[in-house]
Amino acid sequence: MELIDDLELLTDVATGDLDVYLRYSRGPEADAAGSLDHEADVPLPGLSVTPLRPEPWWPRPAADWVARRVFSYAHLAEKRSDRRPWILTGRVAGTGPDHEPLIAEPLPLAWLGPKLLAQASERYRERFARGRDSAD
């Protein structure tokens, strides 16, 4: 699988013709069995992902949205060293228990590299108020 190691390139892919999704896992082969709702012990009809395309209401640069998505889920790889970020496309088969899209018939596109992860982290830290939410 290809490697994308630049935030600008990933942003171009995320805003292109395909609906592209982000997943942190051991990779496409390991995910062949699909995702599981661990809390309910129920198999899901697709892979649990996060969309990378910015929403139409998003007023800021697309790269801010993409960096935020990549950074916000990086903790999944930090918890387990065998998890890596990768992008895919496919058919939305439903919505998971955390309101995330579930992708059936996934088509893997690329791994995300360490330089891209560093760029996303830096952009997020520069442009967002980490930890601030509606309770503030």
Side-chain angles (χ1 to χ4, degrees), residues 38-53:
H38 294 278
E39 191 174 60
D41 196 27
V42 173
L44 299 172
L47 296 177
S48 178
V49 298
T50 189
L52 281 182
R53 181 180 304 282

Side-chain angles (χ1 to χ4, degrees), residues 7-117:
L7 182 60
E8 184 176 331
L9 178 56
L10 179 60
T11 301
D12 288 346
V13 172
T15 57
D17 295 335
L18 295 175
D19 287 325
V20 178
Y21 303 92
L22 171 67
R23 180 161 171 82
Y24 279 82
S25 73
R26 291 181 292 143
E29 290 180 19
D31 288 346
S35 292
L36 178 72
D37 177 342
H38 294 278
E39 191 174 60
D41 196 27
V42 173
L44 299 172
L47 296 177
S48 178
V49 298
T50 189
L52 281 182
R53 181 180 304 282
E55 289 289 332
W57 54 263
W58 184 250
R60 294 169 58 170
D64 285 356
W65 179 277
V66 173
R68 186 182 196 183
R69 303 272 77 185
V70 170
F71 178 82
S72 293
Y73 291 92
H75 69 278
L76 297 173
E78 292 168 1
K79 288 181 180 179
R80 295 193 35 200
S81 62
D82 61 342
R83 291 184 180 180
R84 296 175 55 193
W86 56 287
I87 59 170
L88 62 147
T89 191
R91 178 177 59 81
V92 176
T95 304
D98 293 323
H99 312 287
E100 76 280 16
L102 301 173
I103 300 299
E105 303 161 16
L107 175 63
L109 299 174
W111 293 105
L112 303 186
K115 180 181 166 194
L116 183 152
L117 298 178

